[in-house]
Amino acid sequence: FLSGLEKKPACAGIGLVYSLLASLFFSIVALLVKKIDGVHAVEISAIRCFFQMLFVLPAMIYYKTGFLGPRDQRIFLFLRGFLGANAMILLYYAVQQMPLADATVIAFSNPVFTAVLAWIFLKEKCTIWDFIFTIFTLTGVILIARPPFLFGSRVSGIEGDYTNHIKGTIAAFTGAVGAASTFVVLRKMGKSVHYYLSVWYYAVIGLIECVIALFVIKEWNIPFCGWDRWVLMLIGLLGIAGQTFLTKALQLEKAGPVALMRTIDVVLAFILQFLFLNRIPTWWSLGGAFCVISSTSGVALRKWYSTKNPEKCQDFL
């Protein structure tokens, strides 16, 4: 009876509402990372992982998931934690080094890379469309990065020094590939591992990695009293809330519609950047965003169509 309730949600479309809430929370987290001063991206990631551990621990005890997971899945759990934590750190670093919307757009390109990596490692079918979407995505990244050898030495509309802009672009792009790798690992594990155990590995490995990195780069700073400390706690809370809503959305809806709904991340990034950071996007950034959104939407629509009409999709592709 309970399993029947899970398959048929009481409210139609509630999964898309969950996806929208996840996008909202993730966008607010990125904005808070941008607004906070004097705290390195690695330290922000460490604090988020710490609070994520605190929030997940009671749920793990309640559901009796254990702390190590099935023996044959531990290597995948480790990879999920390591790759996911690196993707988070790189995204936060990118947000601090370049305009919020630009970093979000590049990071949002991960669905395109997920399709390519799933073809390489999971032997999932990859069509000519996936390669077209990949090229279109890379075009969008180039429009945002605007390398001097293509656009000349005078590049307008960037935030601060151009070297930092390039560092942010590389970090966001690498983070997108890391996030795509994480999705491939999660797909490999399937439903054999409880969601909270997956988040636990993500938080623990991320915290260990961040603490080691902070000692190496010597960037550990005590956050300022008041606002900054509340913001750091809020980043941890909203981060796990976003992950929870996204997971629930994927449980109730097909991956295609959820991915399409997640394009609102980019729209929210531009809106929040304009409202709270007083920054108007350039036409290059908007063009890059169009390329990336078109590519990710194309991937989502193709996957959605293929699950609904496998025979027609086979003929079409």
Side-chain angles (χ1 to χ4, degrees):
F1 177 71
L2 291 176
S3 61
L5 288 177
E6 290 178 358
K7 293 180 180 179
K8 295 182 179 180
C11 180
I14 190 65
L16 298 181
V17 175
Y18 287 154
S19 180
L20 181 62
L21 288 173
S23 295
L24 178 62
F25 289 143
F26 286 140
S27 298
I28 294 175
V29 166
L31 175 65
L32 294 176
V33 171
K34 187 72 174 178
K35 292 286 287 184
I36 198 167
D37 293 322
V39 183
H40 196 276
V42 178
E43 185 174 353
I44 296 175
S45 302
I47 294 172
R48 172 179 165 175
C49 288
F50 174 74
F51 282 104
Q52 195 157 299
M53 285 174 57
L54 294 182
F55 293 135
V56 170
L57 187 59
M60 292 180 64
I61 295 174
Y62 177 80
Y63 286 105
K64 300 178 181 179
T65 62
F67 294 96
L68 296 178
R71 187 178 297 273
D72 61 333
Q73 297 293 327
R74 289 175 189 173
I75 182 62
F76 298 114
L77 284 166
F78 173 81
L79 288 173
R80 183 268 183 271
F82 180 76
L83 294 170
N86 277 287
M88 173 186 63
I89 295 169
L90 290 168
L91 172 60
Y92 287 177
Y93 179 79
V95 166
Q96 290 185 335
Q97 298 298 322
M98 65 190 303
L100 171 64
D102 289 356
T104 303
V105 168
I106 297 174
F108 185 73
S109 64
N110 67 76
V112 177
F113 301 119
T114 301
V116 176
L117 291 174
W119 169 61
I120 296 173
F121 295 105
L122 301 181
K123 308 304 179 185
E124 293 186 3
K125 185 177 180 181
C126 189
T127 69
I128 187 64
W129 287 107
D130 292 300
F131 289 103
I132 292 174
F133 294 143
T134 302
I135 294 172
F136 217 47
T137 297
L138 295 176
T139 302
V141 173
I142 291 172
L143 290 176
I144 292 173
R146 282 162 279 166
F149 67 88
L150 290 177
F151 293 83
S153 57
R154 295 182 179 180
V155 181
S156 60
I158 64 172
E159 195 173 83
D161 186 72
Y162 183 74
T163 302
N164 291 335
H165 184 80
I166 287 296
K167 288 180 180 178
T169 301
I170 294 172
F173 183 82
T174 308
V177 176
S181 302
T182 304
F183 292 143
V184 172
V185 172
L186 288 171
R187 194 176 296 177
K188 175 68 175 179
M189 290 191 298
K191 297 181 180 180
S192 60
V193 175
H194 196 281
Y195 162 71
Y196 286 120
L197 186 61
S198 174
V199 176
W200 171 256
Y201 266 80
Y202 171 87
V204 171
I205 294 174
L207 180 60
I208 295 172
E209 183 181 349
C210 289
V211 170
I212 294 173
L214 286 170
F215 277 108
V216 171
I217 64 178
K218 298 180 180 179
E219 286 285 352
W220 186 274
N221 297 310
I222 298 176
F224 298 118
C225 295
W227 165 254
D228 283 354
R229 295 185 181 182
W230 284 108
V231 167
L232 289 170
M233 288 189 288
L234 190 59
I235 287 173
L237 177 62
L238 293 179
I240 193 169
Q243 284 190 342
T244 301
F245 277 117
L246 179 58
T247 302
K248 292 297 293 181
L250 290 170
Q251 288 175 346
L252 297 174
E253 297 285 348
K254 297 288 186 181
V258 172
L260 286 174
M261 185 62 71
R262 287 297 309 281
T263 57
I264 198 68
D265 283 43
V266 176
V267 178
L268 287 172
F270 280 109
I271 293 174
L272 294 176
Q273 177 178 273
F274 177 75
L275 292 178
F276 296 99
L277 303 175
N278 298 317
R279 187 168 191 84
I280 300 174
T282 65
W283 286 108
W284 294 114
S285 295
L286 292 173
F290 173 77
C291 290
V292 172
I293 289 178
S294 299
S295 301
T296 54
S297 298
V299 170
L301 286 170
R302 191 185 70 81
K303 294 290 185 184
W304 189 14
Y305 182 80
S306 64
T307 55
K308 281 181 168 292
N309 305 281
E311 295 181 358
K312 292 182 179 179
C313 188
Q314 180 75 18
D315 295 337
F316 176 69
L317 298 174

